[in-house]
Amino acid sequence: MTRLFWLFARWPLVALHALGWLGGWAVWLASPTYRRRWAEHTRLAGLRGRERWASVGAAGQQVAELPRLWFGPPVPVGWEGAAHIEAALAQRRGVLFLTPHLGCFEITPRAYAERFGRHGAPITVLYRPSRHAALDALLRPARHGAGLAAAPTTLAGVRQLMQALRRGEAVGLLPDQVPPEGLGVWAPFFGRPAYTMTLAARLAQQPGVQVLLAWGERLPWGRGYVVHVQPWAQVMHEPLAADAVQAAAQINRAMEALIGRCPRQYLWGYARYKAPRPLAPGAA
């Protein structure tokens, strides 16, 4: 597996995205469960036509590009809204990035680390270690680097995130990821109850934290990516509620707004409405 990852890491993005597009359709055709989930989720979101069908290939591209991002040479990245990050860091405020499973969500922390993290404001991202020891050993170095650190989904990992915010650094989360049982609340997501993490709201409510919504757009023909950044107030026009259920619903609506900007690049096949798994010993 390691050799395969390093082989694909040398491929140009345009070739990886072409391979990923084929792979996305192959999975869609081969898995009735995946097709049913994709069809139900796109129906709930009101997605139709070309945007809906394009999401099938885009899901495969999201997987195929990972070896290049993790182990290959740098890729072209543009920015829209970087001034919001610069303003928050200038005030020595902690920055919380909320990013859905949209576009290339792996590029956002890496692009931040390259532009800001190397110069004194690193970013820490929350991740769940792989259950496969070999895969986890392969990916662990890829999730750490200059200006970039990873915090596991444990109590120690949550403390690591809070400490980073208190130091005026950045933290990144995928708030549309289903948390373990006991670590979330049921809140609407495209009109259907989805088990939603409360950690994002807890971090956002820490004193002085600037909440920014971000996502990485995948450009066609392997031309790279654009990281889009917007302040919470610019998207939601209301402060985050103190109540956990209300805050989770607000965050879900914010994620819906981002997804609406480029629905063809959202991971509609993700099991967003599944029942939460039991909390593992030592988890956060």
Side-chain angles (χ1 to χ4, degrees), residues 13-14 17 61 217-225 264-265:
L13 275 178
V14 65
H17 287 165
Q61 291 176 327
E217 179 184 6
R218 182 182 305 106
L219 299 178
W221 302 107
R223 297 204 310 269
Y225 306 88
R264 68 171 56 198
Q265 291 191 18

Side-chain angles (χ1 to χ4, degrees), residues 37-38 41-42 45 47 55 190 259 263-264 266-270:
R37 185 188 301 149
W38 169 88
H41 294 181
T42 53
L47 192 62
S55 70
F190 288 110
I259 294 165
R264 68 171 56 198
Y266 186 63
L267 196 62
W268 295 107
Y270 176 63

